[in-house]
């Protein structure tokens, strides 16, 4: 026995230091990718995103604007803070039929594991709003959404559990124009929101808890020939690439630039400390759909990797709290 221990210790001490270090290094957490959509209006893009998600192993967060499930003839039922009734910066559903189709997408997406979150109603800039103003808008969001099936002549089609879902299942918030006055966060806590996704950070970062609300920030990422930082969002790319004017003739070029920026940002985190990477899009095919295609290319490449999880904001909160990906996430 003594001879065996001497041989074992000799072999152990002869191992390279690098080999010993590898044995004690902790396993890296999964890389999280969070892709969200603001507005969530166009029904063709609802279908496209849901179909794509099934093939790419990704779940999205849809920041829904409630006027998009309110038909134009019923617009006066909504009144935003400091605005006349029936006003909205993003309009309303053009018909009750359009609104019903959108409601069906919202419910089916929820059943498929995607997250529905709030993007307010009228898409107004609340930078100067009081806490009471934000509270009014948040209340309008739940009220309009709760009654949406009945308001669109579809009371009989309202899914069982719809109202409970609206009141208890929508726990995330993103402010229009990413306006984040202190009054917003106070109102969010009172309204029962668990997280806010309206901030901007200098790079990919984990959320921070402030005042009982977890704050996610869309990151600045390097982009373009000069690698200038830009918010990882399609609208900001649209402004940089074409000054906010549609230029479909250069769509492939803009797609490649966006994809290259998205992929480089992902790789930096994947190969580094694996902070969550967030990418924000809208339900608009800017520059001929360049930014949707860039996102889809990235998701197709990375979301099926065993150490990557392409999840919703709500799921990301659970992952970050637990330090692991829940088995129930299916990833």
């Amino acid at each position: 026995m003594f001879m065996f221990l001497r041989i074992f210790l000799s072999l152990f001490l002869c191992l390279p230091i690098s080999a010993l270090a590898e044995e004690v290094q902790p396993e890296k957490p999964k890389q999280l990718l969070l892709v969200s959509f603001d507005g969530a209006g166009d029904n063709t893009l609802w279908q496209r995103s849901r179909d794509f998600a099934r093939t790419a192993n990704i779940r999205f967060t849809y920041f829904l604007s409630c006027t998009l499930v309110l038909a134009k003839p019923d617009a006066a039922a909504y009144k935003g803070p400091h605005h006349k009734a029936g006003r909205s910066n993003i309009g309303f559903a053009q018909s009750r039929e359009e609104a019903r189709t959108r409601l069906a997408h919202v419910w089916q997406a929820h059943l498929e594991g995607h997250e529905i979150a709030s993007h307010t109603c009228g898409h107004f800039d609340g930078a100067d709003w009081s806490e009471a103003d934000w509270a009014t808008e948040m209340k309008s969001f739940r009220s309009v959404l709760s009654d949406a099936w009945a308001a669109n002549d579809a009371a009989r089609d309202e899914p069982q559990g719809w109202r409970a879902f609206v009141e208890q299942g929508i726990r995330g918030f993103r402010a229009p124009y990413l306006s984040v006055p202190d009054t917003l966060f106070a109102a969010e806590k009172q309204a029962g929101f668990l997280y806010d996704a309206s901030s901007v950070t200098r790079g990919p970062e984990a959320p921070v808890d402030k005042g009982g609300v977890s704050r996610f920030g869309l990151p600045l990422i390097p982009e373009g020939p000069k690698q200038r930082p830009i918010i990882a969002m399609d609208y900001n790319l649209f402004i940089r690439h074409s000054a906010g004017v549609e230029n479909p003739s250069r769509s492939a070029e803009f797609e490649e630039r966006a994809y290259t920026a998205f992929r480089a940002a992902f790789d930096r985190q994947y190969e580094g400390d694996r902070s969550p990477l967030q990418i924000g899009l809208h339900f608009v095919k800017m520059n001929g759909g360049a930014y949707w295609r860039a996102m889809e290319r990235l998701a197709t490449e990375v979301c099926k990797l065993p150490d990557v999880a392409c999840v919703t904001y709500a799921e990301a909160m659970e992952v970050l709290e637990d330090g692991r990906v829940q088995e129930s996430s299916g990833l």
Side-chain angles (χ1 to χ4, degrees), residues 35-42 45-46 48-49 61-63 65 68 90 119 123 174-178 218 231-239 262 279-286 289-293 295:
V35 177
S36 59
F37 300 102
D38 287 8
D42 189 328
L45 294 179
W46 265 110
R48 173 172 169 171
S49 63
T61 298
Y62 297 91
F63 289 99
S65 299
L68 299 178
I90 54 172
H119 198 44
H123 206 275
R174 175 172 287 158
Y177 309 106
L178 305 182
L218 285 165
I231 299 174
M233 194 170 229
D234 54 359
Y235 179 75
N236 303 81
L237 291 163
F238 181 47
I239 296 298
F262 292 164
I279 295 174
L281 301 175
H282 290 77
F283 261 35
V284 180
K285 292 189 288 187
M286 302 173 194
Y291 312 115
W292 272 67
R293 295 195 304 273
M295 177 277 293

Side-chain angles (χ1 to χ4, degrees), residues 250-261:
R250 298 177 65 186
S251 185
E253 172 193 344
F254 298 144
E255 173 192 342
E256 191 61 32
R257 278 185 59 165
Y259 164 77
T260 299

Side-chain angles (χ1 to χ4, degrees), residues 35 37 45-62 108-109 112-115 292 295-296 299-300 303-304 310 312 331:
V35 177
F37 300 102
L45 294 179
W46 265 110
Q47 193 65 58
R48 173 172 169 171
S49 63
R50 290 175 52 217
D51 290 345
F52 173 74
R54 283 189 284 269
T55 66
N57 200 34
I58 185 171
R59 284 189 292 280
F60 297 119
T61 298
Y62 297 91
Q108 289 303 314
E112 290 161 2
H114 301 289
E115 181 184 7
W292 272 67
M295 177 277 293
E296 290 170 339
T300 298
C303 290
K304 293 183 180 179
C310 298
T312 67
L331 299 178

Side-chain angles (χ1 to χ4, degrees), residues 18-302:
S18 60
L20 294 174
E22 287 178 1
E23 288 186 8
V24 299
Q25 282 184 347
E27 183 180 353
K28 276 190 172 184
K30 286 201 175 189
Q31 175 64 50
L32 302 184
L33 175 64
L34 286 65
V35 177
S36 59
F37 300 102
D38 287 8
D42 189 328
N43 283 326
T44 61
L45 294 179
W46 265 110
Q47 193 65 58
R48 173 172 169 171
S49 63
R50 290 175 52 217
D51 290 345
F52 173 74
R54 283 189 284 269
T55 66
N57 200 34
I58 185 171
R59 284 189 292 280
F60 297 119
T61 298
Y62 297 91
F63 289 99
L64 177 67
S65 299
C66 86
T67 59
L68 299 178
V69 297
L70 189 62
K72 195 171 184 179
D74 306 318
Y78 163 70
K79 182 183 183 304
H82 309 293
H83 291 274
K84 294 181 180 179
R87 291 286 305 279
S88 167
N89 278 353
I90 54 172
F92 297 82
Q94 293 302 299
S95 66
R96 294 188 179 100
E97 180 181 8
E98 177 191 322
R100 289 194 296 269
T101 300
R102 189 164 297 123
L103 285 168
H105 278 302
V106 169
W107 185 246
Q108 289 303 314
H110 164 66
L111 295 179
E112 290 161 2
H114 301 289
E115 181 184 7
I116 309 300
S118 175
H119 198 44
T120 72
C121 286
H123 206 275
F124 298 122
D125 188 346
D128 297 325
W129 282 3
S130 67
E131 183 178 340
D133 292 333
W134 282 109
T136 295
E137 185 76 344
M138 292 170 184
K139 184 177 180 180
S140 292
F141 175 86
R142 295 197 195 273
S143 176
V144 169
L145 213 56
S146 290
D147 297 334
W149 292 88
N152 289 292
D153 301 331
R156 293 183 179 180
D157 299 325
E158 181 178 307
Q160 184 176 0
W162 171 262
R163 291 173 186 263
F165 154 70
V166 171
E167 290 300 322
Q168 303 167 21
I170 297 178
R171 288 291 177 256
F173 189 94
R174 175 172 287 158
Y177 309 106
L178 305 182
S179 292
V180 288
D182 290 340
T183 53
L184 167 64
F185 301 119
E188 284 175 325
K189 182 178 180 181
Q190 291 300 316
F193 289 104
L194 299 182
Y195 74 83
D196 176 272
S198 313
S199 301
V200 175
T201 57
R202 298 176 70 177
E205 296 179 5
V208 295
D209 186 284
K210 292 186 178 180
V213 177
S214 292
R215 301 189 193 181
F216 287 87
L218 285 165
L220 293 171
I221 62 173
E223 188 275 336
K226 296 182 179 180
Q227 291 291 280
R228 289 184 296 146
I230 193 169
I231 299 174
M233 194 170 229
D234 54 359
Y235 179 75
N236 303 81
L237 291 163
F238 181 47
I239 296 298
R240 174 176 289 183
H241 292 167
S242 60
V245 177
E246 288 291 342
N247 189 349
S249 67
R250 298 177 65 186
S251 185
E253 172 193 344
F254 298 144
E255 173 192 342
E256 191 61 32
R257 278 185 59 165
Y259 164 77
T260 299
F262 292 164
R263 182 72 211 217
F266 177 88
D267 288 343
R268 276 191 292 275
Q269 300 311 311
Y270 183 74
E271 296 164 3
D273 64 7
R274 298 203 169 178
S275 295
L277 175 64
Q278 302 168 60
I279 295 174
L281 301 175
H282 290 77
F283 261 35
V284 180
K285 292 189 288 187
M286 302 173 194
N287 276 331
Y291 312 115
W292 272 67
R293 295 195 304 273
M295 177 277 293
E296 290 170 339
R297 285 172 62 184
L298 175 68
T300 298
E301 291 172 356
V302 307

